Amino acid sequence: MSPTTPRRPALRRFVLAAALCLPAALAAGCGDGAVQIAAPTPDASTARLCGGLRLPEKVHGQERRDTSPDSPLTAAWGSPAIALRCGVPRPPTLQPASQLQTINGVDWFGYPSDHPVTWTAVSRQAYVEVTVPAKYQPAGDVLIELGDAIKATVPTKPEGQV
């Protein structure tokens, strides 16, 4: 008997376990696992507002997904993910004279300005950022679906403040 004979059953178990786990690992990498979204770190009052958002289970026909790290300030739908973060800082390029899109009573600031992918609800007591992949264009459809929850939960700022 060679010195490696006792190790073969262990090697076979390892190869079998790896073969069984590989499809699960590949599926997780293909959009079935949690979406990685950096959780914002707002002050306590903003976090309370954001924690009250009642977001839909589906957006643009896409099912809601888990986010990682798990946070009440983030949400995602579909693959590639439509991602929402509530309580983000003011967009650095937002100015009082910036072009805004008003959709169903919510003012949105798009970034980059020439072909927005990320939209931030502004003129509210908490900034809510939504990233809309090109697959889900027009982005306005997604913003309409999320706007009602934002309007119902996050009060507007005084007139003229963005």
Side-chain angles (χ1 to χ4, degrees):
M1 183 185 280
S2 76
T4 59
T5 303
R7 293 184 187 160
R8 284 189 185 184
L11 179 61
R12 284 189 191 133
R13 284 192 300 271
F14 173 77
V15 170
L16 181 59
L20 293 173
C21 291
L22 185 59
L26 289 175
C30 294
D32 292 335
V35 179
Q36 300 292 315
I37 301 176
T41 54
D43 61 43
S45 64
T46 301
R48 275 192 300 281
L49 285 173
C50 291
L53 277 176
R54 298 295 170 246
L55 298 169
E57 287 302 312
K58 284 188 175 185
V59 170
H60 206 67
Q62 303 298 306
E63 296 286 336
R64 189 152 177 186
R65 297 179 57 192
D66 291 333
T67 59
S68 178
D70 185 29
S71 170
L73 307 178
T74 62
W77 299 264
S79 181
I82 296 165
L84 178 142
R85 298 183 333 129
C86 186
V88 297
R90 176 189 170 108
T93 57
L94 177 64
Q95 302 298 318
S98 293
Q99 287 288 98
L100 304 177
Q101 298 292 320
T102 302
I103 302 174
N104 288 358
V106 178
D107 293 333
W108 295 93
F109 174 70
Y111 182 81
S113 60
D114 59 338
H115 184 68
V117 175
T118 300
W119 294 85
T120 304
V122 298
S123 305
R124 302 256 157 203
Q125 292 181 20
Y127 293 106
V128 182
E129 177 185 273
V130 179
T131 301
V132 184
K135 174 181 177 179
Y136 307 112
Q137 297 302 319
D141 292 348
V142 172
L143 303 179
I144 287 169
E145 292 182 54
L146 295 171
D148 287 341
I150 293 167
K151 280 193 318 190
T153 308
V154 183
T156 58
K157 288 183 178 180
E159 184 70 29
Q161 291 184 11
V162 291

